[in-house]
Amino acid sequence: MDTDEVERRIEAEIPDAAAEVSLPRVPDEDHEDAHFAAVVVSPAFEGKTLVEQHQLVYDALGDAMTTDIHALEMKTYTPAEYEDRERA
């Protein structure tokens, strides 16, 4: 699985989501460690705890979290939180 596929899955499952996924470290071709980092912005996160927001992302990725993705670092924001972060 590549970064574009992870982004596509998140954006397809979470309403009005914008996802930016990267590889936070150089992939090791001798291992099957697939480490990803994601920044996800969606109004679906409004009123949800951080755990609930992360669960939405995990749910969007489904079985890939146990088959194709070894680790996922993530930051989740509502649109307002993301805009405030940009100003800081």
Side-chain angles (χ1 to χ4, degrees), residues 13-33:
E13 295 297 321
I14 299 175
D16 299 315
E20 183 178 320
V21 178
S22 62
L23 299 172
R25 66 183 204 184
V26 177
D28 183 349
E29 293 179 17
D30 294 332
H31 297 90
E32 294 185 23
D33 292 349

Side-chain angles (χ1 to χ4, degrees), residues 17-72:
E20 183 178 320
V21 178
S22 62
L23 299 172
R25 66 183 204 184
V26 177
D28 183 349
E29 293 179 17
D30 294 332
H31 297 90
E32 294 185 23
D33 292 349
H35 292 255
F36 295 93
V39 175
V40 184
V41 181
S42 174
F45 297 146
E46 292 283 348
K48 297 202 177 343
T49 66
L50 187 60
V51 171
E52 292 169 328
Q53 292 173 19
H54 287 196
Q55 190 61 51
L56 284 174
V57 177
Y58 291 135
D59 290 346
L61 294 169
D63 289 341
M65 284 302 304
T66 59
T67 58
D68 299 310
I69 299 172
H70 177 76
L72 177 65

